[in-house]
Amino acid sequence: MTTFDDREHAFEAKYAHDEEMQFKAQARCNKLLGLWAAGLMGKTGADAEAYALEVIKSDFEEAGFEDVLRKVSGDLQGRASADEVREKRAALLPDAKAQVLSDNG
């Protein structure tokens, strides 16, 4: 194997790892957002965890965050605006990334 091949394989492995970490961070962020929303709806314990799982699953409907935004905003029924949900998610993303990194560290 040549040096070029080694570098190519290393780049591909790094790319795959980075994509996996990004996916995990997005899922963790959606879970945290779901737990936050569950709290606003008065859900606790297992009910809050189940709702957070629903939020995670809602992200598989389409690419991007809009599917999650629709679910959470709709479920909150005016307890928080779509802009507040977006702001909360943006605030939670760094925490989610840190949690994923610490889980894999």
Side-chain angles (χ1 to χ4, degrees):
M1 193 175 286
T2 66
T3 302
F4 179 76
D5 290 335
D6 290 342
R7 290 178 63 185
E8 181 179 18
H9 290 297
F11 178 76
E12 289 171 355
K14 182 184 181 325
Y15 179 80
H17 178 264
D18 290 349
E19 288 295 306
E20 179 184 3
M21 296 301 284
Q22 184 67 20
F23 175 81
K24 288 180 179 181
Q26 295 294 334
R28 180 70 56 94
C29 186
N30 289 335
K31 178 180 180 180
L32 295 174
L33 183 68
L35 292 172
W36 169 77
L40 291 179
M41 292 184 281
K43 297 177 187 259
T44 59
D47 288 339
E49 289 290 330
Y51 180 74
L53 185 58
E54 288 178 30
V55 172
I56 293 168
K57 289 178 181 178
S58 74
D59 196 21
F60 296 113
E61 293 175 12
E62 63 186 48
F65 172 65
E66 293 304 310
D67 45 1
V68 174
L69 179 64
R70 273 192 309 274
K71 169 152 185 58
V72 173
S73 295
D75 292 346
L76 286 174
Q77 299 176 345
R79 292 180 188 98
S81 69
D83 287 339
E84 289 172 317
V85 174
R86 278 190 182 93
E87 289 171 11
K88 187 63 176 179
R89 185 174 185 278
L92 291 171
L93 189 55
D95 292 338
K97 287 180 179 180
Q99 287 177 15
V100 168
L101 287 174
S102 69
D103 289 350
N104 291 308

